Amino acid sequence: MRWAVVVPFLVMGCGPEDTNGDGIADGILKPDSVSAVAPATPKGTVSGQVLDTRMQPLTDATVTLLIGSDTSGTAYSKKTDGSGNFMFTGVPAGSGVLVTASKDGYATLRANTSVPSSAGNIPINNGNASLGAMMLADTSGSVSFTLYTPSGHPATNARAYLEATPAGMLAFNGTEASTTSSVIATPVVANDMGIVTFSGVPSPGELARIGGAGFGGYRLFVDPVDYNGDGIIDAAGTVAEFSASDLIGRGYSQLVRLESPTNTDAGGAFNLVATNLASLQTADKRPSRNLLREGESIFLGFNQPVLRESMLAILTDESGRDQIDVSVKANDTGDVYSITPAAGRIIEGQEYNLILRATSAYSGLVRTWKGIFVRGDARSPRALTITSVTFKDINAAGNGTNVLDAGECVVITFSQVVSTNPGAVIPLEATLSGGPETLNIKTVLPAAYPATGNACFPGEVTKFPIDSTYSATTRFYFQYGTAGAAGYPPINPRSVTANLRMEFTKFQLLDLGSYYETAWGVPLPATTVLEKQLLAPQP
């Protein structure tokens, strides 16, 4: 019997295979022709050499490689050989990689690069991303700075921070790459000499070799400091940069002066920079710009802290003779104060003088400020009235006391301060009725305190040195003729009713700039007429 053998052939596909990726079809040992097969996933390499700043190889340095945007944290890791070399193979072509080189006692360098997209393709190309020399700075060094305050005191207890950068670099690399490397020192606190010493950082020599002249260096950060522990900041914080090559030239010694802190852009010398009273900062002493509501405190903001307990605040009435109690309160840093008048001592519409004296906690500079304010709410203007009309009894004609004689001065007090344009002295008009006739008095003038050189107020002075440069006042006056002049009969308010009538018609019909205005800034119209009975002086 003869058997027939049938051998089946199963064709799974067409075309040659290259399972080992050598570019030659499998099963062909000595081919007459070669079938080039491009790899499905081209591969490449990443290589380099880890050195110190003296170009000496670093053996057993750890080099890790992270491929692309691998969020799993998977990374390749190798140790450098005796020559500091490393190589990663089988890295996907075209991928971005992060290479990190580190070794105990040295800075860490991170480099971003890409493997060429031609890796593993035919014609054969090794697709190597060559990082060249990865230089790491030795971190066994130290650096010191001496910190001192604007007043020359060592900045004891100042807290400081240091960054050394760059602490690594690439050299001789054959591929485009970006790097980052810095060493953040452990924060330190200045000793009693103001010295801060950072250890575990590259020395200036190390950074100079990496960065070159004027490039490698240190960033120093210092917090604001209260060196004497009194709660007031004595020196501002600072951010400063120092070139490593400059420190070498200075023998590694560096004095750092901390600046005087200032809480505004104004800076400069000690000054009052914020307040709700315009009169303390500017020449604007108009009552309407200096209204202080009932219960409102005076706010003071300085560009430097005030030396503790050095703030002196004196509050007086318009005359500058009677002092009013105030409470003074400072914030914790000493640059903001509030001044509150004693309850019940401030009368609506009346002018008050404020005198301030303060000493800078930084420079010791002593400054004084003078200003005024009027108690009143801008939302509720008050009408002007006459509070009193009396006279200064000097017995000019010998008619006895409490008798208004020719040559004596009549004093009119308004219910609130009245003012006109600064520097403008404009007479008002008054009519005094009493006795056998009515007299027209056309020269009623303001008499702000102190009325220096005024014949009706001879030798008048204030107890406190108030600011008298502005003429807003509640006090006006006129002289009742001249002593011995005819036509000015004596008036005895105890036996004769004499009334003063003031009219605002003659001087302000056309010139709007000459109008008097109240403490609320309300102009007194030409139709204003005010009357009050003349009374004898109070004992």
Side-chain angles (χ1 to χ4, degrees), residues 147 155 158-161 196 220-225 236-240 256 258:
L147 312 178
R159 189 171 181 82
Y161 312 80
V196 290
L220 177 68
F221 307 84
V222 183
D223 287 342
V225 59
T238 190
V239 178
V256 180
L258 305 180

Side-chain angles (χ1 to χ4, degrees), residues 228-307:
N228 58 9
D230 64 356
I232 293 177
I233 298 300
D234 299 289
T238 190
V239 178
E241 296 189 4
F242 303 94
S243 165
S245 57
D246 285 347
L247 287 181
I248 292 175
R250 295 170 183 168
Y252 294 3
S253 177
Q254 180 70 53
L255 291 173
V256 180
R257 182 183 185 273
L258 305 180
E259 296 300 321
S260 295
T262 175
N263 52 15
T264 71
D265 292 336
F270 177 48
N271 204 0
L272 176 65
V273 295
T275 178
N276 53 346
L277 296 187
S279 61
L280 288 172
Q281 282 189 284
T282 69
D284 192 349
K285 295 178 171 56
R286 291 174 296 170
S288 59
R289 289 280 288 116
N290 294 275
L291 289 175
L292 195 71
R293 298 189 305 273
E294 176 69 30
E296 182 182 6
S297 297
I298 299 163
F299 171 78
L300 306 171
F302 299 89
N303 64 340
Q304 298 175 11
V306 174
L307 189 66

Side-chain angles (χ1 to χ4, degrees), residues 401-426:
T401 59
N402 296 325
V403 175
L404 174 62
D405 293 312
E408 294 181 336
C409 298
V410 176
V411 180
I412 305 162
T413 304
F414 288 110
S415 59
Q416 57 181 275
V417 289
V418 179
S419 61
T420 185
N421 288 334
V425 180
I426 303 170

Side-chain angles (χ1 to χ4, degrees), residues 55-73:
M55 305 298 288
Q56 298 301 307
L58 292 178
T59 305
D60 288 330
T62 300
V63 182
T64 60
L65 180 141
L66 185 65
I67 300 175
S69 57
D70 184 359
T71 59
S72 66

